Amino acid sequence: MQLISNISMLFTGLPLADRLAAARDAGFDGVEIQFPEVDDIDPLRTAIDDTGLPVVLINVPRGVGDEVGLACLPDRQEDYRAAVQLCAGQAAALSVRKVNVLSGRPTAGADPAACRRTLIDNLRHTADVMSDIGVQVMVEPVNPMDVPGFFLTGLEAATGVLAEADHPNLFLQFDFYHMALTEPDLSTAIARAAPWIGHVQFADAPGRNEPGSGGIDFTAALQALRDTGYAGAVSAEYRPAADTAAGLGWMKSFRKALA
């Protein structure tokens, strides 16, 4: 498994493209970026070439303002598909291997069945578009405490959507932080999710800070992940309690667990 950093949340004292060098110097194997802007792409491409670090994953644009995704919104399908096309261009330019889809937050009174049908239709569309450029598609369940009203919460909801979508290029983005807040036991959830997992992120819970700041047993969780046979990226997506570099003491134990 590869240990990567989410540079939308880590090394934020630097310009975005400069964070690749900081991640390399800290010992990470790659990075992910939540929502790169159009003007970020050329500097990021240069930074990728200069550092040798890959950008493993980006997200499909989430919308505007406080929107947290468009994929489940029946009245925003045209906007969502435009976002997919933009994301596909960014993914190709950055040699990204994975993209993540956020389902979104329906408006009050929205029909849950219509939202689910829209999400599944949009996921299939995204998977088709990204298949053409060799990019895998993730969908991420998010806990409802951090994002009230988010459509896709909890493991069963996410795997149910994946099963119904039934597309070979659709996978689960499994975030230890979100799953620790919605599932009774994290290691058991990892085992249940095994057939679907395509990407992994982590932060401690509660608080969403560095490993060791909360109550997650990362030794057990990483062993459960190893037991699934997962061999992809594991991404640090947390809010540093202080300076990013000062809070990287957890990396040694993670390296040993992932080896």
Side-chain angles (χ1 to χ4, degrees):
M1 287 182 273
Q2 308 87 52
L3 184 60
I4 70 172
S5 65
N6 185 305
I7 58 171
S8 297
M9 297 181 72
L10 275 63
F11 308 106
T12 55
L14 298 170
L16 184 62
D18 292 348
R19 298 175 202 175
L20 273 81
R24 175 202 60 196
D25 294 345
F28 288 102
D29 303 316
V31 304
E32 64 178 23
I33 302 168
Q34 290 174 345
F35 304 102
E37 300 291 340
V38 171
D39 291 344
D40 293 327
I41 301 305
D42 286 345
L44 285 169
R45 181 70 256 175
T46 298
I48 292 166
D49 294 339
D50 289 347
T51 63
L53 281 195
V55 176
V56 176
L57 176 142
I58 60 175
N59 288 348
V60 174
R62 63 183 176 178
V64 298
D66 65 352
E67 289 184 311
V68 288
L70 304 172
C72 79
L73 307 181
D75 60 343
R76 299 293 298 281
Q77 242 179 326
E78 186 174 332
D79 292 336
Y80 176 75
R81 295 194 177 199
V84 169
Q85 287 304 127
L86 174 62
C87 185
Q90 293 178 334
L94 299 176
S95 303
V96 165
R97 303 196 294 268
K98 306 174 185 178
V99 302
N100 180 48
V101 174
L102 295 174
S103 63
R105 179 168 40 210
T107 57
D111 178 7
C115 292
R116 180 184 173 86
R117 288 194 300 271
T118 300
L119 176 59
I120 290 169
D121 186 41
N122 280 334
L123 287 174
R124 288 171 176 158
H125 170 77
T126 310
D128 285 340
V129 170
M130 296 300 172
S131 289
D132 290 342
I133 57 172
V135 173
Q136 295 180 327
V137 178
M138 311 295 131
V139 66
E140 181 180 17
V142 172
N143 82 78
M145 287 72 78
D146 282 5
V147 188
F150 196 79
F151 183 73
L152 198 64
T153 61
L155 180 58
E156 293 304 319
T159 57
V161 162
L162 286 166
E164 187 171 343
D166 192 23
H167 195 292
N169 196 35
L170 284 176
F171 304 89
L172 176 70
Q173 182 156 299
F174 191 103
D175 188 317
F176 286 4
Y177 170 73
H178 292 302
M179 293 292 97
L181 295 178
T182 63
E183 308 308 311
D185 181 81
L186 183 57
S187 294
T188 300
I190 292 168
R192 288 181 12 239
W196 305 105
I197 295 175
H199 190 70
V200 175
Q201 297 172 325
F202 64 88
D204 215 333
R208 204 175 183 181
N209 301 127
E210 295 91 338
S213 61
I216 292 180
D217 183 345
F218 283 100
T219 299
L222 292 172
Q223 183 58 55
L225 186 63
R226 287 179 61 89
D227 290 344
T228 70
Y230 178 76
V234 177
S235 178
E237 194 206 30
Y238 60 79
R239 300 186 189 100
D243 176 71
T244 298
L248 295 176
W250 55 268
M251 286 184 69
K252 184 176 180 180
S253 63
F254 266 60
R255 279 286 183 206
K256 183 176 180 180
L258 298 175

